[in-house]
Amino acid sequence: MVKRRIVEILRSGQPDESLLIQGWVRTKRELKGFSFIEVNDGSSLASLQVVMNQDLPDYEAIIKKLNTGASVEVTGVLVPSQGKGQRIELKAETVKVYGEADPETYPLQKKRHSYEFLRTIGHLRSRTNSFGAVFRVRNACATAIHQFFQERGFLWVHTPIITASDCEGAGELFNVTGLNLKDIPRTENNAVDYAQDFFGRPTYLTVSGQLEAEVMAMAFSNVYTFGPTFRAENSNTSRHLAEFWMVEPEMAFCDLDGDMDLAEAFLKHVFKYVLETCPEDMEFFNQRIDDTVLSTADNIINNEFQRLTYTEAISLLEKADVKFEYPVSWGLDLQSEHERYLAEQLFKKPVIVCDYPAKIKAFYMRLSDDEKTVRAMDILAPKIGEIIGGSQREERLDVLEKRIIAQGMQPEDLWWYLDLRRYGTVPHAGFGLGFERLVQFMTGMGNIRDVIPFPRTPQSAEF
């Protein structure tokens, strides 16, 4: 007997095929002389209907066990469906129950549950339609990302999760230590004696793999990272996670224009791949979550992104017939409301803003000739604001040293990063994409905690 995935059966299964399925019961309906169950194995949004006649061995005993949530194995023959909404169904010949689910205590029943409730049962929420669709789309996004870079000859590099550097200089870091917190060794000045710690110095969970990716780009030209990053930011919002995934390509012999070109092509590729791979799931989001999901995807795929400088963006915002909550003036960073106005109302498509003031950007971004701006860029998307941030990196040793000092950092702490400018420096550029932001944007889900299997947020590390 051939085992088949339900998604394949629904798409291409034919009457009279004999096959085996395994999955979980979504619903059960008992009639006189026969019963129906819906079985889902996670491969598709839709379930496969199974028809069981009372002449099945141990019919009565099995039916009692087949409650929502029970795991089953069914063998049988595909037949044309007599009901509406499905083309075929499986006429059962044998049914095996692997694990029962008590209907009195199983928390997922045939009704809509709030996302807040489902977060409390993170070990079961993936069995719902919404989260099944989310995680299939998340998987397709990840596949598309690797496909995009691999087809272009990029090397996937695994940058460290434990690091001694703060890439962004923001200080929102989780400390990593092997010290006994009940008896912390101290120096003569009563400071923590990190010389006795596991690594002999302060270390942290990484906030970005960018600096290490630059190391690898100086040997392999084009590389990308795709892995977990961490921010110890005490934010309980629908946009923040303490643990999230980042995609960070880095390209040697590349300037900001090349960086923007790649970022635009990248987003178009991922959206196109997901629409082709998960059409039923994307239609579900469009119907149940946000009725602009498909039009937004089409907007990304079929439009050239608008490009303008930060200075031009500020000018447009100052002229806007809109009252913003946050002030607009040259030198201040753009807030989400400003970014969304540009993308949603003014241009009605993705916008790339470049050449930001140097004082509000990181030390590694290349200083422009005017010495007031840096060669940085953000991609602003409708409904979410910034989705990609990147820059041309500062490849000049003397300028980089001055920028590090100006931001209150110590050049000797980044001696290895400066060495990249001493030995064979080249113009190079890259960008970062928050993976969960991408999945949230693509699916229309309102809370970023609902697009990652096990969200890590302040006071929450349950699963």
Side-chain angles (χ1 to χ4, degrees), residues 17-278:
E17 280 187 63
S18 295
L19 49 82
L20 177 152
I21 64 167
Q22 295 169 325
W24 293 266
V25 176
R26 285 288 177 86
T27 63
K28 176 178 70 171
R29 187 157 50 100
E30 294 183 61
L31 300 174
K32 188 175 181 179
F34 61 96
S35 300
F36 297 102
I37 59 171
E38 298 274 344
V39 179
N40 191 285
D41 64 0
S43 64
S44 71
L45 185 67
S47 301
L48 180 65
Q49 181 165 276
V50 176
V51 186
M52 297 177 296
N53 291 327
Q54 63 182 5
D55 57 0
L56 272 176
D58 300 321
Y59 175 80
E60 294 296 336
I62 289 174
I63 283 296
K64 289 180 180 179
K65 298 178 180 179
L66 289 177
N67 297 304
T68 299
S71 54
V72 296
E73 176 181 283
V74 182
T75 66
V77 178
L78 290 179
V79 296
S81 178
Q82 302 301 309
K84 295 180 179 179
Q86 63 260 340
R87 180 178 61 87
I88 52 175
E89 58 193 20
L90 184 64
K91 184 177 181 181
E93 295 175 345
T94 67
V95 178
K96 177 180 179 181
V97 179
Y98 280 103
E100 297 181 51
D102 183 350
E104 298 297 321
T105 59
Y106 185 61
L108 294 175
Q109 296 299 323
K110 191 181 179 181
K111 66 174 185 177
R112 285 198 176 189
H113 299 283
S114 71
Y115 293 127
E116 290 79 7
F117 168 71
L118 291 172
R119 284 179 215 129
T120 69
I121 52 168
H123 57 306
L124 298 172
R125 69 176 184 167
S126 297
R127 301 187 191 183
T128 65
N129 284 338
S130 293
F131 286 98
V134 165
F135 297 133
R136 281 187 296 273
V137 167
R138 183 183 171 102
N139 173 71
C141 284
T143 302
I145 287 166
H146 285 298
Q147 183 187 75
F148 177 84
F149 288 118
Q150 292 294 327
E151 287 177 351
R152 286 161 176 77
F154 280 65
L155 189 78
W156 181 23
V157 298
H158 303 109
T159 52
I161 291 174
I162 299 174
T163 180
S165 65
D166 176 4
C167 177
E168 298 297 331
E172 295 161 344
L173 298 152
F174 286 105
N175 289 82
V176 174
T177 183
L179 295 175
N180 181 357
L181 298 183
K182 295 181 180 178
D183 185 20
I184 298 174
R186 302 281 180 177
T187 65
E188 293 180 357
N189 298 326
N190 204 36
V192 175
D193 187 1
Y194 284 106
Q196 296 188 46
D197 206 349
F198 188 91
F199 293 104
R201 60 184 300 173
T203 51
Y204 318 94
L205 294 179
T206 186
V207 299
S208 169
Q210 179 203 311
L211 302 189
E212 293 87 354
E214 287 187 53
V215 171
M216 301 300 282
M218 293 302 105
F220 297 98
S221 296
N222 292 337
V223 304
Y224 71 105
T225 76
F226 188 2
T229 54
F230 307 85
R231 295 278 168 89
E233 185 177 2
N234 192 13
S235 294
N236 275 295
T237 76
S238 62
R239 290 167 53 87
H240 289 89
L241 291 167
E243 176 185 314
F244 54 97
W245 285 62
M246 285 284 288
V247 181
E248 296 175 298
E250 199 70 32
M251 295 82 68
F253 308 100
C254 182
D255 61 13
L256 187 66
D257 289 331
D259 199 29
M260 292 190 288
D261 290 343
L262 188 86
E264 180 172 344
F266 168 76
L267 279 181
K268 290 178 184 293
H269 174 87
V270 175
F271 271 84
K272 189 171 185 292
Y273 180 89
V274 171
L275 283 184
E276 292 172 351
T277 307
C278 302

Side-chain angles (χ1 to χ4, degrees), residues 279-334:
E280 297 93 349
D281 294 319
M282 292 299 288
E283 183 62 42
F284 170 84
F285 291 122
N286 204 68
Q287 290 181 2
R288 297 287 189 91
I289 308 298
D290 179 348
D291 63 6
T292 66
V293 161
L294 293 179
S295 60
T296 298
D298 181 72
N299 194 355
I300 294 281
I301 295 167
N302 295 311
N303 272 314
E304 284 192 15
F305 294 7
Q306 181 70 40
R307 299 189 186 188
L308 67 159
T309 66
Y310 167 89
T311 301
E312 292 168 337
I314 292 295
S315 177
L316 291 169
L317 291 166
E318 288 175 335
K319 296 173 184 175
D321 188 21
V322 174
K323 184 165 180 60
F324 296 114
E325 181 182 352
Y326 292 93
V328 175
S329 67
W330 203 99
L332 297 179
D333 208 354
L334 298 181

Side-chain angles (χ1 to χ4, degrees), residues 283-394:
E283 183 62 42
F284 170 84
F285 291 122
N286 204 68
Q287 290 181 2
R288 297 287 189 91
I289 308 298
D290 179 348
D291 63 6
T292 66
V293 161
L294 293 179
S295 60
T296 298
D298 181 72
N299 194 355
I300 294 281
I301 295 167
N302 295 311
N303 272 314
E304 284 192 15
F305 294 7
Q306 181 70 40
R307 299 189 186 188
L308 67 159
T309 66
Y310 167 89
T311 301
E312 292 168 337
I314 292 295
S315 177
L316 291 169
L317 291 166
E318 288 175 335
K319 296 173 184 175
D321 188 21
V322 174
K323 184 165 180 60
F324 296 114
E325 181 182 352
Y326 292 93
V328 175
S329 67
W330 203 99
L332 297 179
D333 208 354
L334 298 181
Q335 300 298 316
S336 180
E337 60 175 341
H338 308 142
E339 297 169 342
R340 292 187 61 175
Y341 169 78
L342 292 169
E344 290 174 29
Q345 298 184 47
L346 190 59
F347 294 106
K348 295 181 172 57
K349 64 180 181 178
V351 176
I352 307 181
V353 179
C354 64
D355 296 336
Y356 282 80
K359 289 185 178 179
I360 62 172
K361 289 298 183 179
F363 70 91
Y364 52 75
M365 297 183 177
R366 193 182 199 279
L367 194 64
S368 303
D369 292 341
D370 62 14
E371 298 191 353
K372 294 180 180 179
T373 61
V374 288
R375 298 293 282 156
M377 67 92 176
D378 289 334
I379 296 185
L380 316 179
K383 305 184 81 66
I384 198 169
E386 181 195 340
I387 192 169
I388 281 179
S391 72
Q392 184 173 335
R393 317 309 190 189
E394 183 55 75

